[in-house]
Amino acid sequence: RAARSGAAMESERECRVLSIQSHVVRGYVGNKAATFPLQVLGFEVDTVNSVQFSNHTGYAHWKGQVLNSDELHELYEGLKLNKVNQYDYVLTGYTRDTSFLAMVVDIVQELKQQNSNLVYVCDPVMGDKWNGEGSMYVPKDLLPVYRDKVVPVADIITPNQFEAELLTGRKIQTEKEALEVMDMLHAMGPETVVITSSDLQAPLGNDYLIALGSHRKTKADGTKVTQRIRVESPKVDAVFVGTGDLFAAMLLAWTHKHPNNLKVACEKTVSAMQHVLQRTIKSAKAQAGEGNKPNSAQLELRMVQSKKDIENPEIIVKATVL
């Protein structure tokens, strides 16, 4: 019987992710936000920490070190020399440096040569909109690197509306324009595009935030089929940090488990997000006390406390197929 269960274990082959993101000693952003959910969902995660900071930069103070592209290359060489550089997924998020980003592209291309089925999940973190005005919070010279080098080798991308507009050079004012922008992004390379948040009017009303997803598959006969979805989730009134990193990690996991069903993958991802955010805001408000605004430390994602929701999210947000 032991041998049989061993064989059964073998058939559920381990899935290994190389995650190149920032690391914080305290709190949950970057690799700290991505690793736990991926492990809980059954993935082996190898992390390269692009920075090591005491905490995220939304606090009054932070200290730490930044990894440069040569140091990234050196870490990768170590894996290669030991022949342990076999991956099923690569996951990347916030980066500030063009040469570091270019090195990531080189690594992804090399890993794809070894494993043609490798899936690269990229969150092209460049900026966001505040009160309708978009601004970049990374150096402007990252945009052409993302547009011309990163997105073409990515398989799944998770830009917000502003980032999707930057990558395509097109403004989005309607859902129709958003779908056209996603088609432009498909044409650049990725099979799956999820615009994680937008300022489009939600059919359910102003208290809801719209995310849009598009999955384009090429069938054996060469024809392309596109599945498009809209997800409306309740707005949570607080500024959280690390939500994009958590979203990308869970989307990686759920698209792996539901490879041809973006609707279910997004429902599970967004529902789990809602569970985590609701738990976080409730806890933050309790810590801050009646009438006080929670601070950065109190608003850190309640990740460990949400283990069950991450592992098996009750679907509280439904997606609409467009």
Side-chain angles (χ1 to χ4, degrees):
R1 207 158 98 210
R4 249 219 324 273
S5 67
M9 290 296 285
E10 219 17 83
S11 72
E12 178 119 302
R13 198 181 64 77
E14 73 166 33
C15 205
R16 196 168 278 272
V17 180
L18 176 64
S19 182
I20 305 173
Q21 299 195 61
S22 43
H23 170 81
V24 287
V25 177
R26 170 68 183 255
Y28 292 97
V29 300
N31 272 333
K32 282 282 289 285
T35 306
F36 178 73
L38 283 167
Q39 288 173 330
V40 160
L41 288 164
F43 293 78
E44 285 286 352
V45 188
D46 293 0
T47 54
V48 173
N49 298 327
S50 55
V51 306
Q52 168 159 275
F53 285 171
S54 52
N55 43 267
H56 72 66
T57 56
Y59 284 74
H61 310 278
W62 72 91
K63 297 279 184 194
Q65 300 81 38
V66 177
L67 193 75
N68 66 36
S69 55
D70 292 340
E71 292 162 335
L72 168 62
H73 185 249
E74 192 180 349
L75 289 171
Y76 177 70
E77 282 299 304
L79 296 171
K80 204 161 125 180
L81 289 168
N82 289 312
K83 297 185 170 52
V84 289
N85 59 333
Q86 279 86 32
Y87 291 98
D88 303 285
Y89 286 89
V90 176
L91 174 62
T92 63
Y94 180 73
T95 304
R96 286 195 65 83
D97 181 69
T98 50
S99 60
F100 190 91
L101 200 52
M103 180 60 68
V104 167
V105 173
D106 291 346
I107 290 171
V108 169
Q109 284 174 317
E110 187 169 310
L111 292 173
K112 282 194 168 195
Q113 280 169 349
Q114 292 188 103
N115 171 15
S116 58
N117 294 323
L118 178 127
V119 173
Y120 173 27
V121 180
C122 168
D123 185 3
V125 183
M126 289 182 284
D128 208 344
K129 291 190 180 189
W130 285 275
N131 307 324
E133 276 305 302
S135 65
M136 288 181 72
Y137 42 62
V138 299
K140 292 208 173 6
D141 54 1
L142 262 77
L143 173 56
V145 184
Y146 270 118
R147 187 186 55 221
D148 306 333
K149 294 189 170 153
V150 180
V151 172
V153 296
D155 301 281
I156 298 176
I157 57 170
T158 59
N160 58 34
Q161 179 181 333
F162 178 61
E163 290 156 350
E165 292 174 343
L166 283 177
L167 289 168
T168 57
R170 287 248 342 238
K171 284 271 183 275
I172 296 172
Q173 261 131 12
T174 62
E175 188 167 276
K176 182 174 174 290
E177 289 174 343
L179 299 179
E180 286 165 5
V181 163
M182 290 199 289
D183 283 342
M184 288 170 77
L185 290 167
H186 283 311
M188 290 161 76
E191 264 195 4
T192 303
V193 177
V194 177
I195 297 179
T196 54
S197 65
S198 70
D199 47 23
L200 295 173
Q201 180 63 44
L204 288 173
N206 291 337
D207 296 337
Y208 287 80
L209 196 66
I210 281 195
L212 295 163
S214 180
H215 176 64
R216 176 172 289 179
K217 209 167 86 193
T218 307
K219 297 205 316 210
D221 63 3
T223 56
K224 289 182 171 19
V225 197
T226 309
Q227 181 193 23
R228 295 194 173 111
I229 56 146
R230 178 200 316 124
V231 188
E232 297 174 76
S233 52
K235 285 180 182 170
V236 184
D237 185 29
V239 176
F240 299 103
V241 180
T243 48
D245 309 321
L246 174 61
F247 185 98
M250 291 196 299
L251 187 70
L252 182 162
W254 291 117
T255 50
H256 175 79
K257 293 175 194 287
H258 304 281
N260 294 313
N261 197 333
L262 186 61
K263 179 180 187 286
V264 171
C266 284
E267 284 174 347
K268 290 191 173 180
T269 300
V270 177
S271 292
M273 290 290 305
Q274 277 296 317
H275 291 300
V276 175
L277 295 182
Q278 299 295 351
R279 179 173 288 109
T280 302
I281 191 72
K282 198 172 150 189
S283 152
K285 282 178 172 167
Q287 287 176 66
E290 197 65 45
N292 298 324
K293 206 170 174 244
N295 63 27
S296 291
Q298 291 160 341
L299 282 167
E300 288 286 6
L301 297 177
R302 308 304 283 168
M303 197 77 82
V304 174
Q305 298 78 358
S306 303
K307 177 178 174 285
K308 286 193 173 70
D309 293 316
I310 291 167
E311 212 164 0
N312 188 14
E314 179 199 338
I315 304 294
I316 52 174
V317 177
K318 284 286 204 205
T320 309
V321 175
L322 300 173

